[in-house]
Structures are given as C-alpha cells and as structure tokens.
mmCIF file of all heavy atoms in Angstrom:
data_model
loop_
_atom_site.group_PDB
_atom_site.id
_atom_site.type_symbol
_atom_site.label_atom_id
_atom_site.label_comp_id
_atom_site.label_asym_id
_atom_site.label_seq_id
_atom_site.Cartn_x
_atom_site.Cartn_y
_atom_site.Cartn_z
ATOM 1 N N ILE A 28 -38.128 13.514 64.252
ATOM 2 C CA ILE A 28 -37.077 13.157 65.211
ATOM 3 C C ILE A 28 -35.823 13.996 64.970
ATOM 4 O O ILE A 28 -35.264 14.617 65.891
ATOM 5 C CB ILE A 28 -36.757 11.650 65.111
ATOM 6 C CG1 ILE A 28 -37.953 10.811 65.575
ATOM 7 C CG2 ILE A 28 -35.514 11.310 65.930
ATOM 8 C CD1 ILE A 28 -37.808 9.327 65.296
ATOM 9 N N THR A 29 -35.371 14.025 63.723
ATOM 10 C CA THR A 29 -34.122 14.721 63.396
ATOM 11 C C THR A 29 -34.246 16.228 63.605
ATOM 12 O O THR A 29 -33.363 16.868 64.200
ATOM 13 C CB THR A 29 -33.719 14.423 61.949
ATOM 14 O OG1 THR A 29 -33.474 13.020 61.817
ATOM 15 C CG2 THR A 29 -32.464 15.183 61.554
ATOM 16 N N ARG A 30 -35.329 16.811 63.130
ATOM 17 C CA ARG A 30 -35.471 18.263 63.237
ATOM 18 C C ARG A 30 -35.732 18.717 64.674
ATOM 19 O O ARG A 30 -35.326 19.821 65.063
ATOM 20 C CB ARG A 30 -36.592 18.735 62.304
ATOM 21 C CG ARG A 30 -36.189 18.573 60.839
ATOM 22 C CD ARG A 30 -37.262 19.031 59.879
ATOM 23 N NE ARG A 30 -36.796 18.865 58.495
ATOM 24 C CZ ARG A 30 -37.507 19.154 57.421
ATOM 25 N NH1 ARG A 30 -38.742 19.639 57.558
ATOM 26 N NH2 ARG A 30 -37.002 18.969 56.203
ATOM 27 N N ALA A 31 -36.401 17.864 65.465
ATOM 28 C CA ALA A 31 -36.580 18.207 66.881
ATOM 29 C C ALA A 31 -35.237 18.226 67.595
ATOM 30 O O ALA A 31 -34.964 19.116 68.415
ATOM 31 C CB ALA A 31 -37.525 17.202 67.548
ATOM 32 N N ALA A 32 -34.391 17.242 67.291
ATOM 33 C CA ALA A 32 -33.055 17.196 67.900
ATOM 34 C C ALA A 32 -32.222 18.414 67.474
ATOM 35 O O ALA A 32 -31.509 19.018 68.284
ATOM 36 C CB ALA A 32 -32.351 15.902 67.504
ATOM 37 N N GLU A 33 -32.305 18.766 66.207
ATOM 38 C CA GLU A 33 -31.548 19.926 65.709
ATOM 39 C C GLU A 33 -32.071 21.222 66.320
ATOM 40 O O GLU A 33 -31.289 22.084 66.728
ATOM 41 C CB GLU A 33 -31.660 19.987 64.184
ATOM 42 C CG GLU A 33 -30.927 18.858 63.462
ATOM 43 C CD GLU A 33 -31.203 18.850 61.975
ATOM 44 O OE1 GLU A 33 -32.140 19.576 61.540
ATOM 45 O OE2 GLU A 33 -30.511 18.107 61.254
ATOM 46 N N LYS A 34 -33.385 21.390 66.359
ATOM 47 C CA LYS A 34 -33.995 22.609 66.876
ATOM 48 C C LYS A 34 -33.644 22.839 68.347
ATOM 49 O O LYS A 34 -33.322 23.961 68.763
ATOM 50 C CB LYS A 34 -35.514 22.518 66.713
ATOM 51 C CG LYS A 34 -36.325 23.579 67.434
ATOM 52 C CD LYS A 34 -36.288 24.897 66.722
ATOM 53 C CE LYS A 34 -37.207 25.910 67.411
ATOM 54 N NZ LYS A 34 -37.159 27.236 66.754
ATOM 55 N N HIS A 35 -33.713 21.783 69.144
ATOM 56 C CA HIS A 35 -33.522 21.925 70.587
ATOM 57 C C HIS A 35 -32.105 21.589 71.044
ATOM 58 O O HIS A 35 -31.816 21.638 72.238
ATOM 59 C CB HIS A 35 -34.543 21.050 71.323
ATOM 60 C CG HIS A 35 -35.966 21.479 71.071
ATOM 61 N ND1 HIS A 35 -36.608 22.397 71.861
ATOM 62 C CD2 HIS A 35 -36.849 21.134 70.094
ATOM 63 C CE1 HIS A 35 -37.850 22.588 71.394
ATOM 64 N NE2 HIS A 35 -38.009 21.836 70.327
ATOM 65 N N LYS A 36 -31.277 21.221 70.058
ATOM 66 C CA LYS A 36 -29.864 20.929 70.336
ATOM 67 C C LYS A 36 -29.685 19.851 71.410
ATOM 68 O O LYS A 36 -28.733 19.861 72.183
ATOM 69 C CB LYS A 36 -29.114 22.211 70.723
ATOM 70 C CG LYS A 36 -29.066 23.239 69.598
ATOM 71 C CD LYS A 36 -28.326 24.488 70.026
ATOM 72 C CE LYS A 36 -28.123 25.443 68.847
ATOM 73 N NZ LYS A 36 -29.349 25.753 68.099
ATOM 74 N N ARG A 37 -30.636 18.952 71.434
ATOM 75 C CA ARG A 37 -30.584 17.784 72.328
ATOM 76 C C ARG A 37 -31.205 16.611 71.590
ATOM 77 O O ARG A 37 -32.129 16.781 70.783
ATOM 78 C CB ARG A 37 -31.389 18.022 73.611
ATOM 79 C CG ARG A 37 -30.859 19.135 74.501
ATOM 80 C CD ARG A 37 -29.768 18.653 75.412
ATOM 81 N NE ARG A 37 -29.336 19.694 76.326
ATOM 82 C CZ ARG A 37 -28.358 19.561 77.199
ATOM 83 N NH1 ARG A 37 -27.722 18.405 77.282
ATOM 84 N NH2 ARG A 37 -28.015 20.548 77.993
ATOM 85 N N GLN A 38 -30.732 15.409 71.893
ATOM 86 C CA GLN A 38 -31.365 14.232 71.306
ATOM 87 C C GLN A 38 -32.833 14.150 71.739
ATOM 88 O O GLN A 38 -33.194 14.572 72.836
ATOM 89 C CB GLN A 38 -30.634 12.965 71.741
ATOM 90 C CG GLN A 38 -29.259 12.765 71.111
ATOM 91 C CD GLN A 38 -28.576 11.537 71.662
ATOM 92 O OE1 GLN A 38 -28.422 11.391 72.879
ATOM 93 N NE2 GLN A 38 -28.183 10.639 70.767
ATOM 94 N N ALA A 39 -33.661 13.597 70.879
ATOM 95 C CA ALA A 39 -35.092 13.501 71.147
ATOM 96 C C ALA A 39 -35.431 12.267 71.974
ATOM 97 O O ALA A 39 -34.665 11.289 72.029
ATOM 98 C CB ALA A 39 -35.873 13.483 69.838
ATOM 99 N N VAL A 40 -36.592 12.311 72.598
ATOM 100 C CA VAL A 40 -37.154 11.193 73.348
ATOM 101 C C VAL A 40 -38.472 10.814 72.682
ATOM 102 O O VAL A 40 -39.292 11.690 72.383
ATOM 103 C CB VAL A 40 -37.386 11.573 74.820
ATOM 104 C CG1 VAL A 40 -38.186 10.494 75.548
ATOM 105 C CG2 VAL A 40 -36.055 11.829 75.523
ATOM 106 N N VAL A 41 -38.685 9.524 72.431
ATOM 107 C CA VAL A 41 -39.928 9.054 71.821
ATOM 108 C C VAL A 41 -40.650 8.147 72.808
ATOM 109 O O VAL A 41 -40.082 7.158 73.294
ATOM 110 C CB VAL A 41 -39.659 8.293 70.501
ATOM 111 C CG1 VAL A 41 -40.961 7.684 69.972
ATOM 112 C CG2 VAL A 41 -39.055 9.229 69.463
ATOM 113 N N LEU A 42 -41.902 8.483 73.106
ATOM 114 C CA LEU A 42 -42.730 7.710 74.032
ATOM 115 C C LEU A 42 -44.007 7.288 73.313
ATOM 116 O O LEU A 42 -44.738 8.133 72.788
ATOM 117 C CB LEU A 42 -43.085 8.552 75.266
ATOM 118 C CG LEU A 42 -41.897 9.170 76.028
ATOM 119 C CD1 LEU A 42 -42.400 10.066 77.154
ATOM 120 C CD2 LEU A 42 -40.978 8.082 76.568
ATOM 121 N N VAL A 43 -44.256 5.987 73.274
ATOM 122 C CA VAL A 43 -45.407 5.451 72.545
ATOM 123 C C VAL A 43 -46.322 4.709 73.522
ATOM 124 O O VAL A 43 -45.902 3.749 74.167
ATOM 125 C CB VAL A 43 -44.968 4.496 71.414
ATOM 126 C CG1 VAL A 43 -46.192 4.017 70.629
ATOM 127 C CG2 VAL A 43 -43.960 5.174 70.485
ATOM 128 N N ASP A 44 -47.572 5.155 73.607
ATOM 129 C CA ASP A 44 -48.557 4.546 74.503
ATOM 130 C C ASP A 44 -49.577 3.750 73.692
ATOM 131 O O ASP A 44 -50.050 4.218 72.644
ATOM 132 C CB ASP A 44 -49.265 5.642 75.304
ATOM 133 C CG ASP A 44 -50.025 5.085 76.496
ATOM 134 O OD1 ASP A 44 -49.782 3.923 76.870
ATOM 135 O OD2 ASP A 44 -50.857 5.826 77.060
ATOM 136 N N GLU A 45 -49.925 2.554 74.201
ATOM 137 C CA GLU A 45 -50.880 1.669 73.516
ATOM 138 C C GLU A 45 -50.458 1.445 72.064
ATOM 139 O O GLU A 45 -51.264 1.591 71.135
ATOM 140 C CB GLU A 45 -52.300 2.257 73.585
ATOM 141 C CG GLU A 45 -52.798 2.518 74.996
ATOM 142 C CD GLU A 45 -53.097 1.246 75.781
ATOM 143 O OE1 GLU A 45 -52.975 0.149 75.208
ATOM 144 O OE2 GLU A 45 -53.435 1.352 76.972
ATOM 145 N N TYR A 46 -49.202 1.062 71.898
ATOM 146 C CA TYR A 46 -48.621 0.881 70.570
ATOM 147 C C TYR A 46 -49.390 -0.137 69.720
ATOM 148 O O TYR A 46 -49.351 -0.109 68.492
ATOM 149 C CB TYR A 46 -47.170 0.408 70.699
ATOM 150 C CG TYR A 46 -47.031 -1.082 70.871
ATOM 151 C CD1 TYR A 46 -46.677 -1.896 69.811
ATOM 152 C CD2 TYR A 46 -47.304 -1.696 72.096
ATOM 153 C CE1 TYR A 46 -46.584 -3.280 69.952
ATOM 154 C CE2 TYR A 46 -47.216 -3.066 72.244
ATOM 155 C CZ TYR A 46 -46.849 -3.846 71.167
ATOM 156 O OH TYR A 46 -46.767 -5.217 71.308
ATOM 157 N N ASP A 47 -50.125 -1.050 70.373
ATOM 158 C CA ASP A 47 -50.753 -2.178 69.696
ATOM 159 C C ASP A 47 -52.269 -2.072 69.587
ATOM 160 O O ASP A 47 -52.914 -2.924 68.979
ATOM 161 C CB ASP A 47 -50.428 -3.468 70.455
ATOM 162 C CG ASP A 47 -50.784 -3.371 71.944
ATOM 163 O OD1 ASP A 47 -51.061 -2.251 72.424
ATOM 164 O OD2 ASP A 47 -50.769 -4.405 72.630
ATOM 165 N N LYS A 48 -52.870 -1.028 70.137
ATOM 166 C CA LYS A 48 -54.332 -0.970 70.220
ATOM 167 C C LYS A 48 -55.021 -1.035 68.851
ATOM 168 O O LYS A 48 -56.064 -1.692 68.723
ATOM 169 C CB LYS A 48 -54.760 0.284 70.970
ATOM 170 C CG LYS A 48 -56.255 0.323 71.289
ATOM 171 C CD LYS A 48 -56.598 1.484 72.208
ATOM 172 C CE LYS A 48 -58.085 1.482 72.546
ATOM 173 N NZ LYS A 48 -58.927 1.805 71.388
ATOM 174 N N PRO A 49 -54.512 -0.375 67.807
ATOM 175 C CA PRO A 49 -55.188 -0.501 66.505
ATOM 176 C C PRO A 49 -55.275 -1.947 66.006
ATOM 177 O O PRO A 49 -56.222 -2.294 65.296
ATOM 178 C CB PRO A 49 -54.322 0.360 65.573
ATOM 179 C CG PRO A 49 -53.684 1.361 66.480
ATOM 180 C CD PRO A 49 -53.415 0.616 67.746
ATOM 181 N N ILE A 50 -54.308 -2.772 66.388
ATOM 182 C CA ILE A 50 -54.355 -4.190 66.000
ATOM 183 C C ILE A 50 -55.339 -4.941 66.887
ATOM 184 O O ILE A 50 -56.199 -5.678 66.397
ATOM 185 C CB ILE A 50 -52.961 -4.837 66.097
ATOM 186 C CG1 ILE A 50 -51.927 -4.050 65.285
ATOM 187 C CG2 ILE A 50 -53.012 -6.291 65.624
ATOM 188 C CD1 ILE A 50 -50.510 -4.540 65.455
ATOM 189 N N LEU A 51 -55.216 -4.766 68.199
ATOM 190 C CA LEU A 51 -56.070 -5.495 69.141
ATOM 191 C C LEU A 51 -57.546 -5.202 68.914
ATOM 192 O O LEU A 51 -58.389 -6.092 69.065
ATOM 193 C CB LEU A 51 -55.684 -5.138 70.580
ATOM 194 C CG LEU A 51 -54.274 -5.521 71.032
ATOM 195 C CD1 LEU A 51 -54.060 -5.116 72.475
ATOM 196 C CD2 LEU A 51 -54.013 -6.998 70.845
#
C-alpha cells in the first residue's frame, strides 16, 4: 500500500472480492 502510493504519487485504492470465501 505505502510503496504503491509513493511510486505513483497518489493514494492507493484497495478492492477485495469474495473477502469471506475461504471461511464459507
């Protein structure tokens, strides 16, 4: 997260799909 923001000089975006599937 931090290095992506530094590299691209913009805050990062995090998108998580099926966050719970390993539990279900």
